[in-house]
Amino acid sequence: SVQPRHLGVASCAASACHGKIARQPSSDVDLNEYRTWLLSDRHAQAFRILQSAKSTAIASRLGIADASTAGECLDCHTDNVPTSQRGEKFLLSDGVGCEACHGAAQAWIGSHSKAGTLHAENVARGLVPLEQAPVRAAVCLACHAGNGQRFVTHALIAAGHPRLRFELETYTANMPAHHRVDADYRQRKGAVDGINLWLIGQLENTRAQMRLLEGRWLAAGRLQPEFAFYECFACHRPVEELRWTQQRAGGEARPGALRLQHQSLAVLTVITSVIEPQALPELQQAIAAYARCGSGDVTEVRQATARLTAWLDARSSWSARTYDRAAAAQIRRLLLQFAADDQGSDYTVAEQLVLGIDSLSATLEDAGPRSNALDALFAEVRTPATFDPTRFARTAARVRGDF
């Protein structure tokens, strides 16, 4: 079938559409979304980054002639659809524009502004329903984690590309808002708030990791997964800086064992202990197998990821449930306890714990009185180079009384 075309940012930027200079209070939507994206959103700069000196140096190390024309770079730094799907106003140089997230506009650009048109009708025509947290997470994770077509490999990181990390609620909160979740929005689309958004982000992040491990990055012919899946800072630190303990490594891991990244799984154990504690032993057994498989072969990794995926699939109803403030507060306390118990010794785990504590504090609307404690936690994970797991555990123990 013929795929709808991506019409380009310019198709949305007219002053009569989303290109107003200022927000329009009398309208159901702000109508200045284009300017918000252009002036405040890093997605608008994604293509230009490929023309920077840093990107040029990264490309040179990898033997890429020009990052701004290389498919492996364009796939995440712009809306890199096939030429046959590009409209007359479409420009790769627009970066990650409207349709990269909202979907090809050809079939719905005319209807979505007409009075009386239901949101569901536009979705049926191809508008991506980003108000649904699992959908939003999938769209974000396609670049911020990767998928079968795109991935930040170990070679790319070694050449200078930033290590990928993602937390849905934090990234949503930090993104310049170009919509209002008001009564009209909720009536037309519904909305996911607070702990649900954070929790769904954790679930989908875990699913994305399992899918990546089961896909081409664990293809036939490989003895082990792509090195970017492993815990970076278990190896990338001074040899004389001894961090290994059995408690920190978990399971049956021995000193020097290769360990796959597990930050989302660590947070998932805390979530499970609150909302379905009877399922925790099964999850812990699956995580133990996952921890062992990092030093195994392709078959072991596939078996471990399939086991975790099946566990997640059996809890698909979690995304549709409503969670109250008490659950959010309990999960936050247990994330802090997890850190204080020295189970956040890997930098990636500690980083995700702090992001979760911060996100849940925003949900509970009590971050202000706890700003000193949150600042202390963020200071511990400011950079991998300065991260000290023992000090992080002590800081978590010191501030947990504030929560």
Side-chain angles (χ1 to χ4, degrees):
S1 62
V2 178
Q3 295 296 311
R5 302 174 82 188
H6 289 230
L7 304 181
V9 171
S11 298
C12 307
S15 60
C17 300
H18 295 284
K20 298 286 188 184
I21 293 176
R23 172 184 168 185
Q24 305 297 297
S26 61
S27 172
D28 290 338
V29 295
D30 289 351
L31 297 179
N32 68 336
E33 292 82 4
Y34 166 73
R35 291 182 63 82
T36 299
W37 169 83
L38 180 66
L39 300 177
S40 306
D41 196 325
R42 291 185 180 182
H43 290 98
Q45 304 168 26
F47 178 84
R48 275 173 279 167
I49 290 293
L50 297 180
Q51 299 172 320
S52 68
K54 181 176 181 179
S55 293
T56 299
I58 293 172
S60 176
R61 294 178 190 122
L62 294 170
I64 296 171
D66 185 350
S68 66
T69 62
E72 59 262 54
C73 303
L74 294 173
D75 281 348
C76 280
H77 282 263
T78 189
D79 188 17
N80 192 27
V81 295
T83 304
S84 61
Q85 293 174 234
R86 301 176 187 176
E88 292 180 2
K89 297 180 181 180
F90 179 93
L91 294 171
L92 282 175
S93 59
D94 281 333
V96 180
C98 315
E99 292 163 290
C101 298
H102 293 281
Q106 184 181 25
W108 52 263
I109 194 168
S111 64
H112 85 294
S113 60
K114 287 183 178 178
T117 302
L118 297 177
H119 176 61
E121 294 175 299
N122 292 316
V123 170
R125 295 185 180 103
L127 178 67
V128 178
L130 295 173
E131 74 281 354
Q132 298 176 24
V135 174
R136 186 190 310 174
V139 170
C140 298
L141 286 164
C143 281
H144 287 281
N147 58 23
Q149 288 72 49
R150 46 195 170 188
F151 184 64
V152 174
T153 63
H154 187 256
L156 193 51
I157 295 171
H161 192 287
R163 175 183 60 88
L164 293 185
R165 59 226 194 230
F166 181 76
E167 202 277 280
L168 179 63
E169 201 279 338
T170 298
Y171 277 48
T172 295
N174 288 341
M175 184 176 178
H178 58 274
H179 68 284
R180 279 178 277 150
V181 183
D182 54 15
D184 169 75
Y185 183 100
R186 293 178 182 277
Q187 189 275 326
R188 289 185 294 113
K189 299 182 178 182
V192 177
D193 295 314
I195 184 175
N196 287 66
L197 183 62
W198 175 78
L199 187 147
I200 290 169
Q202 294 296 326
L203 293 173
E204 295 305 317
N205 204 358
T206 305
R207 287 184 188 279
Q209 182 80 354
M210 297 304 109
R211 281 195 297 267
L212 283 164
L213 277 166
E214 292 167 351
R216 63 177 283 207
W217 311 107
L218 194 66
R222 294 193 70 100
L223 296 177
Q224 291 178 312
E226 222 287 329
F227 279 164
F229 287 113
Y230 287 91
E231 176 54 52
C232 306
F233 308 108
C235 297
H236 290 286
R237 57 177 176 76
V239 174
E240 64 272 14
E241 186 184 333
L242 299 178
R243 292 183 179 179
W244 189 92
T245 68
Q246 191 67 67
Q247 177 181 346
R248 289 175 176 177
E252 304 162 11
R254 305 307 303 158
L258 294 173
R259 292 182 288 109
L260 295 169
Q261 291 185 31
H262 67 291
Q263 56 268 32
S264 57
L265 291 170
V267 174
L268 187 59
T269 62
V270 175
I271 293 171
T272 304
S273 69
V274 173
I275 66 177
E276 194 178 327
Q278 66 272 22
L280 185 58
E282 183 185 355
L283 174 61
Q284 290 173 326
Q285 292 168 11
I287 291 175
Y290 178 82
R292 290 192 298 270
C293 80
S295 293
D297 59 20
V298 167
T299 300
E300 289 181 64
V301 176
R302 284 207 175 100
Q303 290 172 344
T305 54
R307 184 175 178 180
L308 282 165
T309 298
W311 189 94
L312 284 166
D313 288 345
R315 280 146 194 92
S316 57
S317 63
W318 283 12
S319 295
R321 286 171 55 180
T322 299
Y323 304 93
D324 58 18
R325 292 175 60 86
Q330 187 178 3
I331 290 173
R332 183 176 64 177
R333 284 194 299 272
L334 290 178
L335 289 174
L336 267 164
Q337 187 64 52
F338 192 89
D341 288 343
D342 201 17
Q343 296 185 76
S345 56
D346 286 325
Y347 177 79
T348 54
V349 175
E351 181 182 54
Q352 199 69 203
L353 291 172
V354 174
L355 289 173
I357 292 164
D358 184 58
S359 291
L360 292 171
S361 297
T363 291
L364 291 165
E365 300 178 328
D366 62 3
R370 293 162 175 80
S371 59
N372 289 338
L374 290 169
D375 287 347
L377 290 169
F378 271 110
E380 295 294 343
V381 296
R382 183 166 288 121
T383 68
T386 59
F387 177 69
D388 181 319
T390 300
R391 192 180 63 215
F392 175 65
R394 289 173 180 166
T395 298
R398 176 172 57 83
V399 304
R400 64 186 167 184
D402 296 337
F403 293 87

